[in-house]
Amino acid sequence: MKRLEQWFNDYGQSHRHPVNIAIHKVAVPGIYLCGLALLWCLPQRPLPAGLNWAMLAAVPVLLFYLRLSFPLFLGMASFTGLGLLICALWQGPLLPTALAGFVLLWVAQFVGHQIEGKRPSFLADLQFLLIGPAWVLASLYRRLGLPY
């Protein structure tokens, strides 16, 4: 399995242009939150009371981050918890909001990659769904002088 720096190096190959980087620093966390919200909206009938698909999906995702970096795991666990809290407290229809946000932010990424002149393959892009948020968080950690 790849180490964190290997993932970041692979991700960075198609994220070098400053405008693309700026777009991704907004779009990637938003896509992550919208993905959580979309999972939250799935029918809960087969699940035990009090659980939903977003909570269940968060477990392996957070274990993935834990394997890569404990400090990033802590940040992503906090961000994921915030996302789940937002879903729980959301007033109004969550599904159309999450779907619209996901689509708009995904399109924004494509615009960023058009500006970049390079984009990852579809398969790499799917893998980067988890690396992108960690990459954004690592950037924040660097600005704050925190190790990751």
Side-chain angles (χ1 to χ4, degrees):
M1 201 161 193
K2 291 183 185 179
R3 294 173 26 128
L4 182 62
E5 289 305 321
Q6 292 170 306
W7 280 113
F8 285 172
N9 287 338
D10 290 349
Y11 191 83
Q13 295 299 315
S14 55
H15 301 87
R16 297 180 189 268
H17 192 283
V19 173
N20 186 33
I21 291 170
I23 289 171
H24 276 73
K25 284 185 178 180
V26 173
V28 166
I31 289 169
Y32 186 86
L33 291 177
C34 289
L36 275 177
L38 291 170
L39 289 169
W40 185 278
C41 293
L42 291 175
Q44 299 174 13
R45 187 167 15 142
L47 299 176
L51 287 180
N52 63 50
W53 294 108
M55 292 174 186
L56 291 176
V59 173
V61 168
L62 292 174
L63 288 174
F64 173 74
Y65 292 130
L66 179 60
R67 193 196 70 74
L68 293 175
S69 159
F70 187 70
L72 285 177
F73 160 77
L74 291 176
M76 288 307 301
S78 299
F79 188 63
T80 302
L82 176 64
L84 293 172
L85 181 63
I86 290 169
C87 290
L89 298 176
W90 190 265
Q91 300 292 312
L94 182 58
L95 180 61
T97 304
L99 190 57
F102 188 90
V103 169
L104 290 172
L105 292 167
W106 198 274
V107 169
Q109 282 191 112
F110 279 118
V111 170
H113 285 297
Q114 282 295 113
I115 293 166
E116 179 83 38
K118 184 176 183 181
R119 71 184 242 281
S121 69
F122 180 74
L123 182 58
D125 211 19
L126 289 177
Q127 293 174 330
F128 290 161
L129 283 174
L130 294 182
I131 295 304
W135 178 79
V136 171
L137 186 58
S139 172
L140 176 62
Y141 280 18
R142 279 191 299 276
R143 291 186 102 202
L144 297 174
L146 300 173
Y148 62 86

